[in-house]
Amino acid sequence: MKTYRLSAAGRRSTLVLILSALLLAAFALWSLITSVQTNYAQIQSLSMGHVLPALLMLVLLVATPFLIWNLLEEWAASYRTDADGLTFESLGIHIHMPWSAVAGLRSADDDHDDPLDTILFSQDVGPQMRNPILRFLHRQTYGSRSLPVYPGLEARSELLTEIRRALAG
């Protein structure tokens, strides 16, 4: 039984992305406030050129917490394999799937510098997550029958080899 976690380089990359998302949210909030103040002063001449930037900043403000959640889940992720199956844990999420429920492994892209693979399951992983908020956030990011294998994992290729071996056997 081996546990796979993000490497130091993977943690640094995730931290940079979290900080970037926070800066993006701060910029969006500042732009939204500025846009609303400017538009309020010119309420008689409100046009799509004024409304669209404000709506875009609002969308960024709504989407940024989901992005940060995804990055924090990646930061805390750990995978464990044993004879019974695959276990994933992160931020209060605990998913254990027997090898019989692992349907496959899909490569999400062919980028060799930053590969992303997805573990596919034959059943919904949602019922294993007791907290409805965590279940909602996890499903919004990954769906109910899949789990990512993050690019920054230490010994990532070894984990993928173990999964492929279990699928073949």
Side-chain angles (χ1 to χ4, degrees):
M1 177 186 320
K2 181 170 180 181
T3 300
Y4 301 89
R5 299 182 192 282
L6 277 186
S7 65
R11 286 184 180 271
R12 279 191 301 274
S13 296
T14 304
L15 183 60
V16 167
L17 290 172
I18 290 170
L19 293 174
S20 299
L22 289 171
L23 286 172
L24 179 65
F27 171 74
L29 181 61
W30 174 76
S31 295
L32 180 63
I33 290 170
T34 304
S35 178
V36 168
Q37 286 174 344
T38 303
N39 291 340
Y40 186 72
Q42 302 170 351
I43 197 81
Q44 301 300 331
S45 63
L46 198 59
S47 69
M48 289 305 280
H50 294 102
V51 173
L52 285 178
L55 288 176
L56 177 62
M57 295 305 121
L58 186 62
V59 167
L60 281 173
L61 282 173
V62 170
T64 301
F66 290 105
L67 172 62
I68 292 172
W69 161 257
N70 180 16
L71 292 168
L72 288 172
E73 186 174 344
E74 180 177 350
W75 176 278
S78 70
Y79 302 80
R80 194 171 53 251
T81 58
D82 57 25
D84 295 336
L86 175 74
T87 302
F88 173 81
E89 292 179 343
S90 180
L91 299 178
I93 295 172
H94 179 85
I95 299 170
H96 178 77
M97 296 303 278
W99 290 120
S100 61
V102 178
L105 192 60
R106 182 183 70 211
S107 179
D109 60 18
D110 292 328
D111 186 2
H112 297 288
D113 294 333
D114 205 17
L116 181 66
D117 293 289
T118 304
I119 303 167
L120 304 173
F121 300 116
S122 60
Q123 61 191 45
D124 187 359
V125 299
Q128 293 188 36
M129 293 179 262
R130 302 215 188 290
N131 186 321
I133 295 170
L134 294 178
R135 183 172 47 244
F136 170 78
L137 290 170
H138 183 81
R139 281 183 171 170
Q140 291 304 307
T141 307
Y142 305 114
S144 62
R145 293 177 180 243
S146 63
L147 193 64
V149 179
Y150 297 111
L153 280 179
E154 206 165 22
R156 183 178 186 281
S157 59
E158 185 180 319
L159 173 62
L160 293 173
T161 300
E162 283 192 48
I163 294 170
R164 287 187 183 103
R165 189 177 315 131
L167 289 171

